[in-house]
């Protein structure tokens, strides 16, 4: 594992721990502003840490109803786009008492 992979893995471990403990402040503190998420289905930008906290807290009732007990990840790929920018692909897992989501 090289330095950027180790840094990314550390970030994902800390993010998963914050999500698992429903700690929106800790999860949001890991992101810069503005924060952007991009996947095959949606794009979202949150301008402030406060907006990130509110967005995360908004999702927690659903996570609790679904029985979320832990969050994990697997780094599938890492592409260096430049010296300062990397793109990664991760598989996440949310574990409930009866199934993997």
């Amino acid at each position: 594992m090289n330095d950027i992979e180790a840094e990314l893995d550390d970030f994902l471990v800390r993010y998963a721990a914050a999500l698992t403990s429903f700690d929106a402040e800790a999860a949001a503190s890991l992101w810069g502003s503005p924060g952007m998420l991009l996947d095959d289905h949606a794009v979202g930008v949150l301008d402030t840490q406060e907006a990130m906290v509110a967005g995360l807290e908004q999702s927690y009732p659903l996570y609790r109803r679904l029985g979320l007990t832990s969050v994990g990840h697997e780094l599938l790929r890492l592409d260096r786009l430049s010296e300062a920018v990397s793109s990664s692909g991760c598989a996440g897992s949310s574990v409930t008492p009866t199934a993997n989501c």
Side-chain angles (χ1 to χ4, degrees):
M1 183 179 297
N2 63 38
D3 288 344
I4 190 68
E5 289 173 338
E7 287 179 39
L8 182 57
D9 188 65
D10 179 62
F11 167 84
L12 292 169
V13 166
R14 289 185 292 138
Y15 190 60
L19 291 178
T20 298
S21 64
F22 301 103
D23 187 344
E25 293 279 342
S29 74
L30 296 170
W31 294 88
S33 295
M36 182 172 84
L37 295 174
L38 169 68
D39 68 17
D40 291 341
H41 308 287
V43 175
V45 176
L46 296 169
D47 293 324
T48 66
Q49 293 286 310
E50 293 80 16
M52 290 178 212
V53 169
L56 288 163
E57 288 176 340
Q58 177 180 309
S59 64
Y60 290 163
L62 174 62
Y63 294 165
R64 285 186 173 102
R65 281 196 307 276
L66 293 173
L68 177 80
T69 58
S70 67
V71 177
H73 74 279
E74 177 184 359
L75 181 62
L76 301 176
R77 69 166 214 295
L78 178 65
D79 302 316
R80 293 295 298 231
L81 304 178
S82 73
E83 282 297 314
V85 178
S86 297
S87 171
S88 63
C90 297
S93 62
S94 302
V95 181
T96 65
T98 58
N100 289 334
C101 298

